[in-house]
Amino acid sequence: MELLKRKIDDALFQWKQNPERLPLIVKGARQIGKTESIRHFARKNYHNVIEINFILQKQFKSIFDNGFEVGTILKNISLIDPSLEFLPGETLFFFDEIQDCVNCATSLKSFKLDGRFDVICSGSLMGINYNEIESNSVGFKEDYNMHSMDFEEFLWAKGYKEEQIQDMYQHMLQVSPFSELEWKVFSEIFKEYMVIGGMPAIVNLFVKNKNYSGTLKMQQQILLDYEEDITKYAGGLDKGKILNVYRKIPVFLGKDNKKFQISKVAHGARNREYMGVIEWLDSAGMINVCYCMAQPELPLRGNYDPDHYKIYFRDTGLLIGSLDEEAQEDLRINKNFNAYKGAIYENIVADMLVKAGYQLYFYKNDKGTLEMDFFVRDRKTLIPVEVKANDGATISLNHLIAKSKYADVAYGIKLGNKNIGFNGKFYTFPYFLTFLLKRFLRERVV
């Protein structure tokens, strides 16, 4: 498989440049490219790499049995594989699948204090309570949250260069509409991204073949692999309940209000019976949770109802893969995304916002007369973000901007299949620019 350019590449390089670097833990869902990216970085930057996979090489789980001193760990590694060398200042230890060996995290403090070797850990973190790792290595590790490929990385995979992406951003910053050719090309690529998603193996296959052949099968296999991981790593939680929730996500997204309701997951289901299920799926990197704000005002954190939320797939390609065969054909041949009540557009905007570093919030009042898909913020203001699958009215968006009672709202953003514009109240951007939204809000000219 050809190695794809990823944003973690630069993050790993910056980490290596820091003389005070801490052991690094790369977190994220399965099959998003963690291992390949770390291997690529390791080969380019170290004379000596010692890679240990705690699932495939279970014998190495015992290297911490005699304690966490680095010398003792090295001795135990040598007992298992005497061919390995440990060159101070030139060696990277790459511990993969650390969810199968929590003791590895405890050793990070020793490695940092010892100072002779760099350490990168990776794992899906499905099977362990991350707080356990947190407490074992607090102050002696750094975290990096990795996702499946975002739209910018998809553009890179398709061969587009940094200067072309910078040109896209300049259109956004200057509120200058795209030409007909630009609009058509980027819109088509974005539709491909919606169908394919960001799993690197699937993207690689699509770019190589220049068609969708085999991609659906791979998406469906990843969904099956995730379900298998649930049954393997769910720990003390009811695996059946986690599977119930995971399998029902497309059903709720297909409804008009898209609100997730435990009572509709299974007959007679109650919230208290599903305690921890949503949190487990979220921390495993399988879903994005969007919470309903108590009021459309700042601050965002602490101003939401933890029992009122929507759930989205962490990768929109997996949502597509979960649909029935007829829907698949419709999407791949006709690009008929509007048939799904905005679910796919909402899911991909949620995914793009999370990949840009946002937490997800929405709002709906008790009467159902005021509703907004997402909220973000700039330095001073709360910004409602409306997702429009078609070019319908923007009643709620106009209401939030116009009414003085929503003092924190000064302007809004409407995302849709529309060119760039600004009407004095809200910006209109095409969906494919969502990945640049955080940068725009930081740098826009007021």
Side-chain angles (χ1 to χ4, degrees), residues 314-346:
R314 190 69 69 97
D315 185 274
T316 303
L318 298 185
L319 169 60
I320 301 294
S322 71
L323 301 175
D324 56 56
E325 288 183 20
E326 291 76 17
Q328 298 289 345
E329 190 172 358
D330 190 16
L331 287 168
R332 283 169 164 73
I333 295 174
N334 303 317
K335 303 288 199 305
N336 185 18
F337 297 101
N338 289 358
Y340 302 93
K341 299 182 180 177
I344 296 171
Y345 287 113
E346 225 177 279

Side-chain angles (χ1 to χ4, degrees), residues 406-425:
Y406 306 114
D408 291 332
V409 178
Y411 64 97
I413 292 166
K414 177 182 174 183
L415 299 172
N417 287 311
K418 298 279 286 184
N419 215 325
I420 296 173
F422 182 62
N423 63 2
K425 296 184 292 184

Side-chain angles (χ1 to χ4, degrees), residues 5 37 49 159 177 184 226 275 348 402 404 443:
K5 181 182 177 184
S37 293
V49 180
K184 183 179 179 181
Y226 275 18
M275 290 284 288
I348 201 159
S404 58
E443 299 177 3

Side-chain angles (χ1 to χ4, degrees), residues 351-414:
D351 187 41
M352 293 172 87
L353 290 175
V354 168
K355 286 171 177 172
Y358 287 109
Q359 290 184 310
L360 300 179
Y361 302 96
F362 75 102
Y363 180 72
K364 186 174 184 177
N365 64 9
D366 294 335
K367 297 177 181 178
T369 54
L370 183 64
E371 187 172 3
M372 187 49 53
D373 299 309
F374 300 105
F375 284 90
V376 295
R377 64 166 301 172
D378 59 19
R379 284 188 297 274
K380 296 185 286 187
T381 60
L382 180 68
I383 306 160
V385 179
E386 186 160 33
V387 178
K388 300 298 284 188
N390 47 48
D391 194 27
T394 53
I395 298 169
S396 289
L397 186 58
N398 283 315
H399 186 84
L400 284 164
I401 296 165
K403 297 295 181 181
S404 58
K405 66 181 288 189
Y406 306 114
D408 291 332
V409 178
Y411 64 97
I413 292 166
K414 177 182 174 183

Side-chain angles (χ1 to χ4, degrees), residues 2 14 54 66-67 103 121 125 129 149 283 385 399 410 419 435:
E2 185 180 343
Q14 295 300 326
F54 290 115
N66 306 111
N103 279 338
C121 301
L125 303 184
N129 181 345
M149 296 171 70
S283 63
V385 179
H399 186 84
N419 215 325
F435 77 98

Side-chain angles (χ1 to χ4, degrees), residues 10 31 57 59 69 99 171 201 254 293 352 380:
D10 185 57
Q31 304 188 47
Q57 301 166 290
Q59 67 272 29
E69 290 298 319
Q99 74 275 5
H171 274 282
M293 297 176 68
M352 293 172 87
K380 296 185 286 187

